[in-house]
Amino acid sequence: MAVTLKDVAARAGVSVKTASNVVNGYSFVAADNRRRVQEAIEQLGYVPNIGARNLRRGRTGFLTLAVPELTNPYFAELCGLVMTAAARHDWTVLIEQTAGARERELAVINAAHRSLVDGVILSPIGMHPADLATDSAPNSPLVLLGERALGARVNHVAIDNVKAAEVATEHLIGLGRRRIAAIGDQPGQNGTAMLRLAGYRGALRAAGLPDDPALTVPTPTYSRAEGAGAMRRLLDAPNPPDAVFCFNDLLAIGAISAARDRGLRVPADLAVVGFDGIEEGNYSAPRLTTIAPDKLAIAEAAIDLVKRQLDHDGQQPQDVTVPFTLEIHESTHR
Amino acid sequence: MAVTLKDVAARAGVSVKTASNVVNGYSFVAADNRRRVQEAIEQLGYVPNIGARNLRRGRTGFLTLAVPELTNPYFAELCGLVMTAAARHDWTVLIEQTAGARERELAVINAAHRSLVDGVILSPIGMHPADLATDSAPNSPLVLLGERALGARVNHVAIDNVKAAEVATEHLIGLGRRRIAAIGDQPGQNGTAMLRLAGYRGALRAAGLPDDPALTVPTPTYSRAEGAGAMRRLLDAPNPPDAVFCFNDLLAIGAISAARDRGLRVPADLAVVGFDGIEEGNYSAPRLTTIAPDKLAIAEAAIDLVKRQLDHDGQQPQDVTVPFTLEIHESTHR
DNA sequence: GCTTGACGATACAACGATGTAACAAGACTG
DNA sequence: CAGTCTTGTTACATCGTTGTATCGTCAAGC
């Protein structure tokens, strides 16, 4: 059905290999033959079969990028940036959704597609450190995004989550707030949430504020609906907070929505800080104060680590820390 | 480097084909050999090389899904649904971003990847009808999402855009609004925007309202920023509107944000209807009234059309129309 | 006892591309 | 003029997998 090199070669009256040489820009082909092959390619509409080429070359030209949910704008934005960075190295990105489920994250690392890709970039949520220990000698590069807490010997790209959470919390303290809640802890997981909680507590402690456990509300995942639910629980309890630090922007947007439904004014009655720096927060009412990681730097570092590990086999796993900024908007304006 | 069937066969003491037969669940393999092969697979951690398998089977196992921007939540949601529907047929989805650029849309249809995928699902924006005429006999199935205006003989999946725009506009008319603006026309393109504009105008005409050209604001693409810009232009003009129908939700959210900056109350001073039914609109302030296409139906119809065309070669291109609903929320509440 | 037939296993070719080695012809070297 | 180099081309093997054809073996059926 499809046009192959054999067809091109036949039409141009040369061997298959000579046709291949033209396609691949090999120098020593007679001008005459080169022209005829090119004409044949043109006329037949030949397109190389990438699968076959990759099989022969032992390189697939694919990377897997696995994120929890594409509907989380943070990951949607990140995917776009990773795809762009990957394209510069002629990689096509396969996006997978894990829903944060441990078994699906492991499937991405280990299973079927592993033979199909040159590397895997994974934003893990459900995985345990032990899960990586078994995979001691992965045959293709693996880069984890945002999970430094997994102590294993793997490539990491992340911001300093503890520091970022401190900065966010200090900002609320600096506004004079004293009952500062945190939404988004994930007890039992030991990933990003744990680090952000540590930063939050550290900032409270440093300011001499009590760490009231009633003000820490866990959520199973990070969505607007869960942010709203958590906020409602905080407002139903006695002695509600005057500020809340949400572990991501979707939670924050949900929290603001729930506060608004109860007639609270943000930021006058309740100041809100999010985390992720998604575009949506720049158009919400009120505009959202947030910790914005440098997503472009994350994407490029991830691609760079994959490439580096592919080029130098014995490469030691690396930790890359990228910068973040606190973007102050209406949701915490005095 | 990687473990192949050959290694498995050697370890199990059988031929490569027998090992292959075990992997593929062929019935007539001696229980003893089957067990030994399975053990070898286990011990060596064998994973089939999908590329090689597909090469042999003459099927790639990939679909291309090309959307303008992944950061548009409508497309992010749609991608997730298409991926799920595709997984049921063992397809892996390659997501491409076209930015709505004509040449990139054509590249998706024609170029390199064509040999790599079993089919293409494209959400076109920049393409002209003539672009498809040249590609009269595509060798792999092509499904267009949401562009019935491209008259060519291709598979389509879309809602009735004219009708939907009518419904949205009638809703605003029913609230007593008389100066109803439209944001998001794209003159020169003859796709979705044209259809929605037609529905908008039809509803105005049916209600005996004038169609003031000053109330139709085009935008080059669909983003929050452009929605805000368009709204500012409307508010700066003499005789501003009391309602606005935005051709997508991002435009609507931007428009609301701009109106708010000018001190307008939504919906009291300005009623706003969007289009897409994205999750973000359920948490915005005010919650957004919107036309919500049945995205799940779109995703499943698209996959179904690809499969059908692949199975029956001479299949005639089909038009599938999926339902939509008008979701009424705060942004148009009396 | 001889044909069927089901079962079990294998060698071989093929998918489409590219690396290797070999070869031929002409152009240099010494 | 033999020997090496450069250029140009090709046949062949190979990547990992699976379809086809083939060849056994053993049991059932007449």
Side-chain angles (χ1 to χ4, degrees):
Chain A
M1 188 100 278
V3 179
T4 77
L5 257 192
K6 204 163 97 181
D7 305 324
V8 171
R11 175 152 196 145
V14 297
S15 75
V16 177
K17 189 65 218 281
T18 298
S20 166
N21 285 339
V22 172
V23 172
N24 291 286
Y26 182 66
S27 307
F28 303 126
V29 176
D32 190 43
N33 281 341
R34 159 165 281 123
R35 187 183 45 73
R36 290 220 309 287
V37 169
Q38 277 161 347
E39 280 173 11
I41 288 176
E42 190 79 17
Q43 289 161 10
L44 297 174
Y46 167 77
V47 174
N49 180 316
I50 317 237
R53 172 181 288 175
N54 290 338
L55 172 58
R56 187 61 246 248
R57 286 192 178 158
R59 164 197 213 266
T60 71
F62 285 107
L63 291 184
T64 292
L65 171 61
V67 298
E69 309 265 9
L70 218 41
T71 49
N72 180 330
Y74 173 76
F75 291 114
E77 293 177 23
L78 192 60
C79 283
L81 294 170
V82 169
M83 286 165 70
T84 305
R88 276 201 289 279
H89 299 285
D90 290 320
W91 269 311
T92 299
V93 176
L94 289 177
I95 297 173
E96 301 269 349
Q97 295 190 101
T98 64
R102 171 164 170 259
E103 61 273 17
R104 291 177 63 181
E105 293 174 355
L106 293 179
V108 166
I109 297 185
N110 297 314
H113 283 205
R114 201 68 193 264
S115 65
L116 189 65
V117 296
D118 296 330
V120 174
I121 300 172
L122 169 65
S123 188
I125 291 189
M127 267 174 30
H128 306 309
D131 294 333
L132 284 172
T134 55
D135 190 59
S136 54
N139 40 6
S140 58
L142 174 64
V143 177
L144 298 186
L145 300 185
E147 281 282 342
R148 198 170 307 259
L150 292 168
R153 300 175 55 258
V154 196
N155 293 298
H156 283 272
V157 181
I159 66 170
D160 183 339
N161 273 290
V162 177
K163 182 74 191 158
E166 270 173 29
V167 167
T169 312
E170 282 162 5
H171 171 61
L172 293 170
I173 296 170
L175 296 173
R177 311 291 164 139
R178 286 301 173 262
R179 283 191 61 73
I180 301 172
I183 294 178
D185 186 30
Q186 307 201 304
Q189 321 266 28
N190 53 356
T192 314
M194 199 181 73
L195 301 174
R196 294 184 188 169
L197 187 68
Y200 159 77
R201 287 187 173 152
L204 291 184
R205 206 178 313 120
L209 292 175
D211 173 24
D212 183 350
L215 290 181
T216 297
V217 184
T219 62
T221 68
Y222 288 178
S223 67
R224 300 177 187 89
E226 284 169 310
M231 192 73 238
R232 280 192 288 270
R233 249 171 295 150
L234 282 168
L235 296 177
D236 285 340
N239 213 351
D242 57 7
V244 57
F245 167 40
C246 298
F247 288 6
N248 98 342
D249 282 350
L250 292 183
L251 291 173
I253 284 163
I256 289 174
S257 160
R260 190 168 67 88
D261 289 346
R262 297 293 176 93
L264 289 183
R265 292 162 305 156
V266 177
D269 302 323
L270 182 79
V272 179
V273 176
F275 203 115
D276 276 354
I278 64 177
E279 169 88 354
E280 180 175 346
N282 288 329
Y283 288 86
S284 61
R287 295 181 215 284
L288 186 63
T289 294
T290 188
I291 296 282
D294 186 342
K295 299 190 202 72
L296 181 59
I298 293 175
E300 295 189 331
I303 294 294
D304 187 55
L305 285 180
V306 170
K307 183 158 177 47
R308 201 175 297 185
Q309 185 138 18
L310 222 44
D311 291 348
H312 318 289
D313 205 15
Q315 183 83 16
Q316 283 300 308
Q318 305 216 349
D319 262 4
V320 176
T321 301
V322 306
F324 65 87
T325 52
L326 172 68
E327 294 186 352
I328 301 175
H329 295 301
E330 296 165 348
S331 72
T332 62
H333 231 284
R334 331 178 154 259
Chain B
M1 189 100 280
V3 179
T4 76
L5 259 191
K6 206 163 97 181
D7 305 325
V8 172
R11 175 148 193 149
V14 298
S15 75
V16 178
K17 189 64 218 285
T18 298
S20 167
N21 285 339
V22 172
V23 171
N24 291 286
Y26 181 67
S27 306
F28 303 128
V29 177
D32 190 42
N33 281 340
R34 161 165 281 124
R35 187 183 46 72
R36 289 221 309 288
V37 169
Q38 277 162 346
E39 281 173 13
I41 287 175
E42 189 80 17
Q43 288 161 12
L44 298 174
Y46 166 77
V47 174
N49 181 318
I50 316 236
R53 170 179 292 173
N54 288 336
L55 172 58
R56 185 61 244 250
R57 288 190 177 162
R59 148 200 228 268
T60 72
F62 287 107
L63 291 183
T64 292
L65 171 61
V67 297
E69 310 265 8
L70 218 40
T71 50
N72 180 330
Y74 174 76
F75 291 114
E77 291 177 24
L78 192 61
C79 283
L81 294 170
V82 170
M83 286 165 70
T84 305
R88 276 200 290 277
H89 299 285
D90 289 320
W91 269 312
T92 299
V93 175
L94 289 176
I95 296 173
E96 300 270 349
Q97 295 189 101
T98 63
R102 170 165 170 259
E103 61 274 17
R104 291 177 63 180
E105 293 174 354
L106 294 179
V108 166
I109 297 184
N110 297 314
H113 282 210
R114 202 68 192 265
S115 69
L116 186 65
V117 297
D118 296 329
V120 175
I121 300 172
L122 169 65
S123 188
I125 291 190
M127 266 174 32
H128 306 311
D131 293 333
L132 283 174
T134 54
D135 190 58
S136 54
N139 41 6
S140 59
L142 173 64
V143 176
L144 297 186
L145 301 185
E147 282 282 342
R148 196 170 309 257
L150 292 168
R153 299 178 55 260
V154 196
N155 293 298
H156 283 273
V157 180
I159 65 170
D160 183 338
N161 273 289
V162 177
K163 183 73 192 156
E166 271 174 26
V167 168
T169 311
E170 282 162 6
H171 171 59
L172 292 171
I173 295 170
L175 296 173
R177 310 292 164 139
R178 286 301 173 261
R179 284 193 60 75
I180 301 171
I183 294 179
D185 186 31
Q186 307 200 304
Q189 322 265 29
N190 54 356
T192 313
M194 199 181 73
L195 301 174
R196 294 184 188 169
L197 187 67
Y200 159 77
R201 286 188 173 151
L204 290 185
R205 206 177 315 120
L209 292 175
D211 174 22
D212 182 350
L215 289 181
T216 297
V217 184
T219 61
T221 69
Y222 288 178
S223 66
R224 300 178 187 87
E226 283 168 310
M231 192 73 240
R232 280 192 290 269
R233 248 172 296 150
L234 281 168
L235 297 178
D236 285 341
N239 212 353
D242 57 8
V244 57
F245 168 39
C246 298
F247 287 7
N248 98 341
D249 282 350
L250 292 184
L251 291 173
I253 284 164
I256 290 175
S257 160
R260 189 169 66 88
D261 289 347
R262 297 291 175 94
L264 289 183
R265 292 162 304 157
V266 177
D269 302 323
L270 183 79
V272 179
V273 176
F275 204 115
D276 275 354
I278 63 177
E279 169 88 354
E280 179 175 347
N282 287 330
Y283 288 86
S284 60
R287 296 181 216 285
L288 185 63
T289 293
T290 188
I291 296 282
D294 186 341
K295 298 188 201 75
L296 181 59
I298 294 175
E300 294 188 332
I303 294 295
D304 187 55
L305 285 180
V306 170
K307 183 156 177 50
R308 201 174 300 184
Q309 183 139 16
L310 222 44
D311 291 348
H312 317 290
D313 207 13
Q315 182 83 17
Q316 283 298 309
Q318 307 215 348
D319 261 4
V320 176
T321 301
V322 304
F324 65 87
T325 53
L326 171 69
E327 294 185 352
I328 301 175
H329 294 302
E330 297 164 348
S331 72
T332 62
H333 232 285
R334 329 177 158 260

